[in-house]
Amino acid sequence: MDVSVILFEGFTSLDFIGPVEALQRIPEYSIRYFSPEGGAVSNGKGLNLATEPMADIRPGILLVPGGFGTRKLVNDGAFISALRKAAEESAYCLTVCTGSALLAKTGLLDGLAATSNKRAFDWVVSVNPRVRWQRRARWAKNGKYYSSSGVSAGIDMALGFISDRFGEAKAREAAGAMEYVWNSDPGKDPFAAD
């Protein structure tokens, strides 16, 4: 199954690198990188990656990171339409940080529980208040949709996703291979304000 990572100008590196580090430990998964038009995409801080055009995404697992680039992209109708199509056709859709704002803009999260980066939480909520935004959550899941809090929370969510699909032992094995201390409780969110 393909893991299709959607990148864009101004993405946050750890938002996708962390989850990819966990997901690539599943032999059945193949990682591919996409952007709206394909070609080189930059995080704005020196990391440039080659991508394929989003039109070439095959159904599988969709991973949508966040970053400052989401502020502009959330108002790009063509991108939001392409994201909606890819998310609808995916078997699973995982968002990290403000990537949840992009998915929320498609309307696919309406009425569902989701979370996002606590430092950008109010902005994310303003993008689509019809989502049941969870201020205190490391990650949230609703059927095929998973969303995580800020940056490193994407690793916890990816390991939670692996646990859901392959069992907790497999997730712990992946975390151990990464020498990562997995926060396996989606409700344990040390960054949420009281």
Side-chain angles (χ1 to χ4, degrees):
M1 183 180 288
D2 283 348
V3 176
S4 299
V5 182
I6 296 181
L7 298 175
F8 45 84
E9 294 296 322
F11 62 84
T12 295
S13 306
L14 189 59
D15 280 10
F16 82 90
I17 291 173
V20 163
E21 186 64 34
L23 295 169
Q24 73 182 359
R25 295 178 185 280
I26 304 300
E28 295 86 353
Y29 293 166
S30 174
I31 313 294
R32 298 173 68 195
Y33 301 97
F34 296 88
S35 66
E37 303 298 325
V41 179
S42 172
N43 71 342
K45 297 180 180 181
L47 178 61
N48 300 293
L49 292 171
T51 66
E52 303 174 62
M54 282 177 65
D56 294 342
I57 292 176
R58 297 187 301 234
I61 300 166
L62 195 65
L63 176 62
V64 185
F68 286 108
T70 59
R71 276 43 168 210
K72 178 180 177 184
L73 211 50
V74 78
N75 295 312
D76 182 328
F79 171 80
I80 295 300
S81 177
L83 176 60
R84 182 182 174 100
K85 178 179 185 295
E88 284 179 319
E89 293 176 354
S90 70
Y92 300 96
C93 183
L94 288 62
T95 67
V96 181
C97 194
T98 56
S100 62
L102 298 176
L103 188 61
K105 186 72 171 193
T106 70
L108 293 174
L109 293 180
D110 286 9
L112 301 179
T115 194
S116 192
N117 187 313
K118 302 313 180 287
R119 292 184 177 191
F121 203 80
D122 291 340
W123 173 75
V124 171
V125 170
S126 77
V127 169
N128 185 347
R130 294 179 305 278
V131 177
R132 290 188 301 113
W133 293 108
Q134 308 295 302
R135 192 172 290 273
R136 180 172 294 283
R138 190 75 170 147
W139 78 90
K141 65 178 178 175
N142 286 272
K144 73 176 191 175
Y145 297 108
Y146 286 66
S147 59
S148 69
S149 188
V151 194
S152 65
I155 303 170
D156 293 332
M157 176 194 65
L159 291 167
F161 173 75
I162 291 169
S163 180
D164 289 347
R165 298 268 298 133
F166 300 97
E168 185 176 337
K170 188 70 172 175
R172 295 209 175 275
E173 177 186 318
M178 295 164 60
E179 295 191 6
Y180 180 75
V181 179
W182 176 33
N183 174 1
S184 60
D185 180 354
K188 184 179 179 185
D189 185 358
F191 299 97
D194 290 326

